[in-house]
Amino acid sequence: MSVTPLRGGPAREAELLGVVLDVLRETGYDRLTIEAVAARAKAGKHTVYRRWPSKAELVVAAFVNAVSDRPVVPDTGELRGDLLALMESLVGELARLGDVIAGLVGEILHNADLARAVQQNYIAGRRRLTLEVFERAWARGELSRSADTDLLWQVGPAVLFFRALVSGEPVDHELARRLVDHIVLPIALGRR
Amino acid sequence: MSVTPLRGGPAREAELLGVVLDVLRETGYDRLTIEAVAARAKAGKHTVYRRWPSKAELVVAAFVNAVSDRPVVPDTGELRGDLLALMESLVGELARLGDVIAGLVGEILHNADLARAVQQNYIAGRRRLTLEVFERAWARGELSRSADTDLLWQVGPAVLFFRALVSGEPVDHELARRLVDHIVLPIALGRR
Amino acid sequence: MSVTPLRGGPAREAELLGVVLDVLRETGYDRLTIEAVAARAKAGKHTVYRRWPSKAELVVAAFVNAVSDRPVVPDTGELRGDLLALMESLVGELARLGDVIAGLVGEILHNADLARAVQQNYIAGRRRLTLEVFERAWARGELSRSADTDLLWQVGPAVLFFRALVSGEPVDHELARRLVDHIVLPIALGRR
Amino acid sequence: MSVTPLRGGPAREAELLGVVLDVLRETGYDRLTIEAVAARAKAGKHTVYRRWPSKAELVVAAFVNAVSDRPVVPDTGELRGDLLALMESLVGELARLGDVIAGLVGEILHNADLARAVQQNYIAGRRRLTLEVFERAWARGELSRSADTDLLWQVGPAVLFFRALVSGEPVDHELARRLVDHIVLPIALGRR
DNA sequence: TCATAAGCGAGACGGTACGTCGTGTCTTACG
DNA sequence: CGTAAGACACGACGTACCGTCTCGCTTATGA
């Protein structure tokens, strides 16, 4: 007379996506195998295919699931503090999800659905967050009227991505600080 | 008095790498198949494997081959012109090789050899080129003494990559100009 | 209340083995290819390899399957009739399975498992059958007490094999009759 | 006007054929590889292919070469002695060339050239030898007028082949003696 | 005496088959 | 019913041989 919950249901789903992240970290996107994911999760392949029809969608789901707990907009009362907080959260995110993002990059150009998913579930959020920070600075009178914020917002993320995924240089607190103090903040404030 | 190539040797090699670029553009890294490359080049699989032991090394070779004709250092006599020329050459490169680079990104984190190859054959060259531009500007007295050139050089490439590979926004002349005029040049000159 | 076969299981198996016989007849053992068998049966290679791990075992299985419906012991009430019946069944078997047996011969010396399989699944049965015929003849008082039946039983099969597989001479009813009347029967009866 | 010997010519040829026998003995016909033969003989593949255009012809050549020193017709003055000598030489031959013959058997049915080569270079010789023995016995008055010599001559070889190549039973002096004393000689002499 | 041609070892080449593994679909048996 | 398990047709993996083909190198005259 007990209610039978849909066996595992959403919990099982999260479990599977967690396994996807693990496998991605260990082997990379190209060598990730749906069979391996199912095996490690002690699931049948059908249970995976029923939910996500392809490797790309599976990995996107894992990615979206992992970034869905969006960081709260920081509000330190000062542009520099807000920017540093944003950069720090990105640094942490890259440490956790660098592999996932790297794998997705290879697909984005050949998969419009994936491109849209990343754009809407990830980029847009980051952009929004940073623009809010700029808006608050504008309201406080900190922001230079000439700052190209639509370009400026992505300088920080872009450099972090570039170093993490392409050039292989370290991505850490010190880098975040240099980016803010030597590039983003001077441009935003309109002075060097 | 003609040089006798070792039975098609280097010529065949370039031919194969050209096919790799074609296939990459059409299908992306993940779905690139050595069998498909061999078939399209009317080569036996062994002919491919003899030269490049894995898909990753094959694609790296295609990439290195495609970028090996390095752009000459531009010298317009003015920092802005030099930076614009650098950005323009990058824009063109991304149009030609965006897919290849995207594919490589997914592997870099899991393949130290590949990371090194990209670093040495690509990143280092771009970095050198840009730093030379900064040095000439310094010699001309254009460059601010406080500019963090070691970070600054990669702002342009990073944003271009970010937009081309991740956010999917357009990468064109206008973007190159905005990057130079709104971000890189102000920081380099030390004024807004 | 019907027996549910395991998804095509045994039926598919017999189908595959039939294809093996066809291919053997057309091309011979050396040129038989597992890929060709799978293709002709519209099966994946895995479906073949799952059941038989090597070409030799596959061919043995096809052979055993083809001879598994053992001929009934003939009982004509007279030694000559029994022997003729045995020879005739052999003649037919050689017509059907000569190629298969020929292929196996090349492997028997280098494959103990195969040797045992042929010995137990084929030779032993033929031997048993013939010795029963001799026993009945003995019971009837037809058989010479000095007949070396352990050697004699294989004279017929040996000559048929020799002609079918080695010397290429015809193997037919007339040969069977000559073998019985000129060799085996005289020795068995103890008179010429 | 001397004939130019093809460098190393016949000697190298015999050497290669010797290697073929070795490889056959070790691996069997099906797994014999022209590449392996060439490698072991430190020869280029071309050197092998120049002389023998296929595996079957190569092996036939090795076989013919190995049996080309035909045994002299024994003449012990008595049918039993002659037959024993013939059988003994066959027993030895099977020990040396069983593998080669086994391999050939698998091809004979699908290769008319091979069939003819074996027939002419091997079977015919054996047959001739044995019939001569029977003729001498006839001349001496030993042979029954009713003996079917055309069939009888191959009883011995057939049983030896059958046991060596198919049933795997031992082939030795004792077997040779039993064959002569219990089968061939009684039939030949027309008494039991 | 020397080029010169042939045989040679070596091995690259375009292919085919190997035996393994992953794909995405489907079926079975269980709880 | 949703699931774990895994068979299935398919096709790519990376390796090994196929039979053809060029390479240089030797070697042995016959110009």
Side-chain angles (χ1 to χ4, degrees):
Chain A
M1 212 255 246
S2 67
V3 178
T4 318
L6 340 176
R7 292 218 284 102
R12 193 79 176 106
E13 195 148 321
E15 205 179 327
L16 291 172
L17 295 180
V19 169
V20 171
L21 290 190
D22 291 347
V23 176
L24 269 178
R25 262 188 277 275
E26 290 168 27
T27 68
Y29 181 88
D30 187 50
R31 278 175 291 281
L32 176 138
T33 263
I34 292 195
E35 210 151 57
V37 170
R40 188 187 289 216
K42 285 204 154 293
K45 287 196 290 178
H46 204 52
T47 302
V48 178
Y49 278 108
R50 192 196 328 282
R51 299 169 198 271
W52 306 283
S54 74
K55 175 168 147 181
E57 305 208 34
L58 173 61
V59 172
V60 169
F63 172 68
V64 167
N65 183 258
V67 296
S68 61
D69 38 341
R70 306 309 337 282
V72 275
V73 195
D75 189 352
T76 64
E78 193 201 20
L79 180 55
R80 181 171 185 275
D82 288 3
L83 289 175
L84 277 176
L86 280 171
M87 288 294 141
E88 288 296 348
S89 89
L90 249 185
V91 167
E93 207 159 77
L94 276 174
R96 280 191 304 128
L97 299 178
D99 303 67
V100 189
I101 296 167
L104 293 177
V105 164
E107 285 290 301
I108 284 175
L109 291 177
H110 292 281
N111 188 328
D113 288 353
L114 172 51
R116 198 173 333 103
V118 169
Q119 163 63 28
Q120 290 175 1
N121 289 289
Y122 189 58
I123 306 296
R126 273 287 159 190
R127 179 184 137 97
R128 190 83 287 273
L129 227 47
T130 318
L131 289 187
E132 281 170 19
V133 161
F134 284 147
E135 275 158 26
R136 285 204 303 269
W138 171 265
R140 283 191 304 262
E142 279 190 281
L143 202 73
S144 156
R145 77 194 57 211
S146 69
D148 185 350
T149 55
D150 220 56
L151 182 58
L152 188 56
W153 83 264
Q154 57 191 5
V155 167
V159 172
L160 294 187
F161 273 59
F162 184 78
R163 293 173 75 114
L165 306 184
V166 184
S167 77
E169 293 165 277
V171 167
D172 53 17
H173 301 286
E174 175 54 15
L175 175 65
R177 201 198 50 74
R178 279 170 71 198
L179 264 173
V180 170
D181 286 341
H182 297 171
I183 314 275
V184 181
L185 199 55
I187 297 293
L189 301 181
R191 52 182 161 77
R192 142 212 45 97
Chain B
M1 207 255 218
S2 68
V3 180
T4 318
L6 347 171
R7 258 208 300 121
R12 194 80 175 104
E13 196 147 322
E15 209 177 325
L16 292 173
L17 296 181
V19 170
V20 172
L21 289 190
D22 291 347
V23 176
L24 268 178
R25 261 188 276 275
E26 290 168 27
T27 69
Y29 181 89
D30 186 50
R31 277 174 293 279
L32 176 138
T33 261
I34 292 193
E35 215 150 61
V37 170
R40 187 187 292 214
K42 286 204 155 292
K45 286 196 285 179
H46 200 50
T47 301
V48 178
Y49 279 110
R50 186 179 309 120
R51 300 168 197 272
W52 306 283
S54 72
K55 176 168 147 180
E57 305 209 33
L58 173 60
V59 172
V60 169
F63 172 68
V64 167
N65 183 260
V67 296
S68 62
D69 39 341
R70 305 309 340 281
V72 276
V73 195
D75 188 352
T76 64
E78 192 200 21
L79 181 54
R80 181 169 184 275
D82 287 4
L83 288 175
L84 276 175
L86 279 171
M87 287 294 142
E88 289 294 349
S89 89
L90 250 184
V91 167
E93 208 159 76
L94 276 174
R96 280 192 305 127
L97 300 177
D99 304 66
V100 189
I101 296 167
L104 292 178
V105 165
E107 284 291 301
I108 285 176
L109 291 177
H110 292 280
N111 188 328
D113 288 352
L114 172 52
R116 199 174 332 105
V118 169
Q119 163 63 28
Q120 290 175 0
N121 289 288
Y122 189 57
I123 307 296
R126 272 288 157 190
R127 179 184 136 98
R128 189 84 287 275
L129 228 47
T130 316
L131 290 186
E132 280 170 19
V133 161
F134 285 147
E135 275 158 26
R136 284 204 303 270
W138 172 264
R140 283 191 304 262
E142 281 190 280
L143 203 73
S144 157
R145 78 194 55 214
S146 69
D148 185 348
T149 55
D150 221 56
L151 182 58
L152 188 56
W153 83 264
Q154 57 192 4
V155 167
V159 171
L160 294 186
F161 273 60
F162 184 78
R163 292 171 76 113
L165 307 184
V166 183
S167 76
E169 293 164 276
V171 167
D172 54 17
H173 302 285
E174 176 55 16
L175 174 65
R177 199 197 51 72
R178 278 170 74 198
L179 263 173
V180 169
D181 287 340
H182 297 171
I183 314 275
V184 181
L185 198 57
I187 298 293
L189 300 182
R191 52 185 162 77
R192 141 207 46 96
Chain C
M1 210 256 231
S2 67
V3 180
T4 318
L6 347 171
R7 264 211 296 120
R12 192 82 176 103
E13 195 147 321
E15 207 177 325
L16 291 172
L17 295 180
V19 169
V20 171
L21 289 191
D22 291 347
V23 176
L24 268 177
R25 261 187 278 273
E26 289 169 26
T27 69
Y29 181 90
D30 186 51
R31 276 174 293 280
L32 176 138
T33 262
I34 293 194
E35 216 149 58
V37 170
R40 188 186 290 214
K42 283 205 154 293
K45 286 197 285 179
H46 201 50
T47 302
V48 178
Y49 279 109
R50 185 178 311 123
R51 300 167 196 273
W52 307 283
S54 72
K55 176 168 147 180
E57 304 207 36
L58 172 61
V59 172
V60 169
F63 172 68
V64 168
N65 183 260
V67 297
S68 61
D69 39 340
R70 306 307 341 282
V72 275
V73 195
D75 190 352
T76 64
E78 191 201 24
L79 181 54
R80 182 171 183 273
D82 288 3
L83 289 175
L84 277 175
L86 279 172
M87 288 293 142
E88 288 296 347
S89 88
L90 248 184
V91 167
E93 208 159 76
L94 276 174
R96 280 191 306 127
L97 299 177
D99 304 66
V100 189
I101 296 167
L104 293 177
V105 165
E107 285 290 301
I108 285 175
L109 291 177
H110 292 279
N111 188 327
D113 288 351
L114 172 51
R116 198 173 334 104
V118 169
Q119 162 64 29
Q120 290 175 0
N121 289 288
Y122 190 59
I123 307 297
R126 273 288 158 190
R127 178 184 137 98
R128 189 83 287 274
L129 228 48
T130 317
L131 290 187
E132 280 170 20
V133 161
F134 284 147
E135 274 159 27
R136 284 204 302 269
W138 172 264
R140 284 191 304 261
E142 280 190 280
L143 202 74
S144 158
R145 76 194 58 213
S146 69
D148 184 349
T149 55
D150 221 56
L151 182 58
L152 188 57
W153 83 264
Q154 57 192 4
V155 167
V159 171
L160 294 186
F161 273 59
F162 184 79
R163 292 172 76 113
L165 307 184
V166 183
S167 76
E169 294 164 277
V171 167
D172 54 17
H173 302 284
E174 176 54 15
L175 175 63
R177 202 200 48 75
R178 278 169 72 198
L179 264 172
V180 170
D181 285 340
H182 297 172
I183 313 276
V184 181
L185 199 56
I187 298 293
L189 301 182
R191 50 186 163 75
R192 142 213 47 97
Chain D
M1 82 298 324
S2 70
V3 179
T4 317
L6 340 176
R7 289 219 287 104
R12 192 79 174 107
E13 197 146 321
E15 206 179 327
L16 291 172
L17 295 180
V19 169
V20 171
L21 289 190
D22 290 348
V23 176
L24 268 178
R25 262 187 277 274
E26 289 169 27
T27 68
Y29 181 89
D30 186 51
R31 277 173 293 278
L32 176 136
T33 264
I34 292 193
E35 212 151 57
V37 170
R40 188 187 290 216
K42 285 205 153 292
K45 286 196 291 179
H46 205 52
T47 303
V48 179
Y49 278 109
R50 190 191 336 277
R51 301 168 196 273
W52 306 283
S54 73
K55 174 167 147 180
E57 305 207 36
L58 173 60
V59 172
V60 169
F63 173 68
V64 167
N65 182 261
V67 296
S68 63
D69 39 340
R70 305 308 338 284
V72 275
V73 196
D75 188 353
T76 64
E78 190 200 25
L79 181 54
R80 182 171 185 272
D82 287 3
L83 288 175
L84 277 176
L86 279 171
M87 288 291 143
E88 289 294 348
S89 89
L90 248 186
V91 167
E93 207 158 76
L94 275 175
R96 279 192 306 127
L97 300 177
D99 303 66
V100 189
I101 297 166
L104 293 177
V105 165
E107 285 290 301
I108 285 175
L109 290 177
H110 293 279
N111 189 327
D113 289 351
L114 172 52
R116 197 173 335 102
V118 168
Q119 163 63 29
Q120 290 175 1
N121 289 287
Y122 189 58
I123 307 296
R126 274 287 159 189
R127 179 184 137 97
R128 187 84 290 275
L129 228 48
T130 317
L131 290 187
E132 282 171 19
V133 161
F134 283 147
E135 276 159 25
R136 286 204 302 270
W138 173 264
R140 283 191 302 263
E142 280 190 279
L143 203 72
S144 157
R145 78 194 55 213
S146 69
D148 185 349
T149 55
D150 221 56
L151 181 58
L152 189 56
W153 82 264
Q154 56 192 4
V155 166
V159 171
L160 293 187
F161 273 59
F162 184 79
R163 294 173 73 113
L165 307 184
V166 184
S167 78
E169 293 164 277
V171 167
D172 54 18
H173 301 287
E174 176 55 16
L175 174 65
R177 199 198 51 73
R178 278 168 73 196
L179 263 173
V180 170
D181 286 340
H182 297 171
I183 314 274
V184 181
L185 199 56
I187 298 293
L189 300 182
R191 50 183 164 76
R192 130 212 52 94

